Amino acid sequence: MRRIKQNFYPEGYFEVIRIENMSVEEIEEITGKNVVVSGRVIAYIADDTSNYLKIDMGNGRIGIIYTENDEDIYKNKSLVNEVINFRIKTKNENNEYILERNSLINKARNEILQNIKIGDIIKSKIVAFLGYGVFVDIGWGATALLYKTDIIGNPSHPKEVLKNTTFLDVEIKNISDDGNIYVKMIENG
């Protein structure tokens, strides 16, 4: 088994400029271009019409990143107060910037899928508890599923063992043909 060292989220995967340090003119200049910047998530909003992250872009400016699938919901809730990377797509009629990060996540996810193999040991960060297991971030934006049957102590619910845990070591158990990653908990060492 080999131990993999990684950076969490697509942040750290790219060298970027913090958005709140940019002037309005600089932001307008990079809007719609392939420039990666970062900013702090100030809220996760889920309502009847959409789910999205609100990003503080400095000087009262707000950016919005819309989520696209259920896995994003669990991960996005854990991003509140974190600094994340994104690109600025456009500005809407409410003068809010519409941001995107899926291309960054996909690029980072492809990178990790090319560099990991079954049996690798990797540090993970818990992002969501579910009745049947835990979603963990294994770095570079890749999320893996740790089933409760693969948690040391065989709990009836993952929180019984992991409620006070943020990071844990996991072993890559399986990588499905569609890129889903499954892990099992190992003793921290």
Side-chain angles (χ1 to χ4, degrees):
M1 289 186 267
R2 63 184 183 142
R3 185 169 289 276
I4 303 293
K5 184 175 167 102
Q6 81 283 17
N7 295 316
F8 283 92
Y9 305 109
E11 294 64 47
Y13 186 73
F14 304 97
E15 292 294 324
V16 298
I17 301 168
R18 290 288 298 266
I19 194 76
E20 62 268 16
N21 296 332
M22 297 178 74
S23 68
V24 172
E25 294 79 21
E26 290 171 317
I27 291 173
E28 294 297 326
E29 186 177 317
I30 65 169
T31 298
K33 299 195 174 134
N34 196 22
V35 176
V36 179
V37 293
S38 68
R40 184 166 305 280
V41 178
I42 56 174
Y44 172 73
I45 309 296
D47 58 33
D48 293 338
T49 58
S50 62
N51 301 316
Y52 57 92
L53 293 171
K54 288 179 86 172
I55 310 298
D56 178 6
M57 296 181 61
N59 297 318
R61 299 174 298 221
I62 298 294
I64 296 174
I65 300 175
Y66 289 99
T67 62
E68 295 184 7
N69 60 50
D70 289 340
E71 185 177 314
D72 285 345
I73 292 170
Y74 299 117
K75 191 168 201 175
N76 287 336
K77 284 182 180 179
S78 73
L79 292 175
V80 175
N81 294 319
E82 297 287 333
V83 174
I84 64 169
N85 293 350
F86 50 85
R87 291 187 179 108
I88 305 170
K89 286 172 54 175
T90 188
K91 196 186 227 181
N92 69 14
E93 63 280 354
N94 296 326
N95 221 21
E96 299 165 319
Y97 291 93
I98 305 302
L99 315 172
E100 84 77 32
R101 90 187 231 109
N102 281 343
S103 64
L104 304 179
I105 290 170
N106 290 338
K107 182 176 180 180
R109 184 174 182 79
N110 288 339
E111 179 78 17
I112 197 168
L113 287 172
Q114 291 174 9
N115 289 296
I116 63 170
K117 62 183 180 183
I118 294 171
D120 284 348
I121 296 171
I122 196 163
K123 183 179 276 304
S124 68
K125 180 179 180 182
I126 295 174
V127 294
F129 286 98
L130 304 167
Y132 56 87
V134 177
F135 278 113
V136 295
D137 187 318
I138 59 171
W140 298 296
T143 303
L145 179 59
L146 169 63
Y147 281 111
K148 70 180 179 181
T149 55
D150 291 315
I151 296 173
I152 295 171
N154 199 23
S156 59
H157 192 283
K159 282 188 177 179
E160 291 175 17
V161 174
L162 301 173
K163 68 181 174 190
N164 295 320
T165 305
T166 303
F167 294 95
L168 61 133
D169 289 337
V170 295
E171 180 180 329
I172 305 297
K173 181 178 173 182
N174 187 27
I175 303 169
S176 67
D177 290 341
D178 57 0
N180 290 327
I181 302 167
Y182 301 91
V183 296
K184 65 181 179 180
M185 186 175 165
I186 63 168
E187 294 285 344
N188 287 336

